[in-house]
Amino acid sequence: MEFRNENILLDVAVKDKLALFDYIADYAVTHQIVADGEALVEAFLKREREVSTGLQDSFAIPHAKAAFINEPIVLFLKLSQPIEWETFDDKPVANVFALLVPSEFEGMVHLQMISQIATSLMEESFTDIIKHTNDVTLLTKTISSAMNGEY
């Protein structure tokens, strides 16, 4: 799967998790990733009710799996202000990798996407770049490397 510059959304101003999911849904509808933004928000919320997708060190990986998602995609969102989220370190989230996966890809592709990002988040060199730069080209290169298992 190719990770592109347009998958990076910087300086995202949202007040909470629901507003973030609405923002992602609006983006997904505009880019024809989904036709139904409300259904996407509900898919994110359903997943959060099962177990929080907040990690630690300001990161979260919310994900939605559904038949109405047109293509597997990863979005990276850097928030202008951290938001509350249930995390392992009880700290707010400012860096979000949102995964949208069509039902037909929910097995191996979904697990591979989460695994590659989560593994990369254990690498200080990766998290330093993600947290401290707004250079879209560098972010795209760094996230692409992670998604290709090169971190």
Side-chain angles (χ1 to χ4, degrees):
M1 173 184 3
E2 181 184 358
F3 187 82
R4 302 177 300 266
N5 287 354
E6 60 264 21
N7 295 24
I8 296 175
L9 308 170
L10 300 176
D11 202 30
V12 174
V14 292
K15 62 183 169 95
D16 57 26
K17 207 183 322 184
L18 180 58
L20 173 67
F21 294 158
D22 284 335
Y23 186 95
I24 294 168
D26 289 344
Y27 178 90
V29 168
T30 300
H31 289 84
Q32 301 175 345
I33 301 163
V34 301
D36 186 344
E38 288 180 26
L40 181 58
V41 170
E42 185 51 42
F44 279 126
L45 292 172
K46 178 182 176 198
R47 178 63 183 87
E48 289 296 316
R49 285 190 294 268
E50 293 170 7
V51 65
S52 176
T53 58
L55 300 176
Q56 62 190 27
D57 197 26
S58 80
F59 287 96
I61 308 177
H63 42 284
K65 298 178 284 186
F68 61 80
I69 299 172
N70 297 325
E71 64 178 298
I73 192 165
V74 174
L75 302 173
F76 172 67
L77 299 93
K78 186 175 287 205
L79 308 183
S80 58
Q81 294 294 318
I83 59 173
E84 292 302 312
W85 204 300
E86 185 180 325
T87 60
F88 294 123
D89 60 3
D90 294 321
K91 294 188 177 163
V93 165
N95 299 286
V96 177
F97 288 95
L99 284 58
L100 287 72
V101 183
S103 295
E104 65 200 74
F105 294 101
E106 72 178 291
M108 202 57 170
V109 171
H110 176 245
L111 293 174
Q112 185 177 15
M113 291 165 71
I114 290 178
S115 173
Q116 288 170 328
I117 292 170
T119 299
S120 299
L121 289 174
M122 291 188 266
E123 297 295 330
E124 188 175 345
S125 59
F126 177 81
T127 58
D128 280 350
I129 292 170
I130 298 300
K131 292 191 318 188
H132 299 110
T133 189
N134 285 332
D135 180 328
V136 172
T137 303
L138 178 57
L139 286 166
T140 299
K141 179 182 174 198
T142 302
I143 295 167
S144 291
S145 293
M147 294 185 64
N148 290 322
E150 298 167 6
Y151 248 95

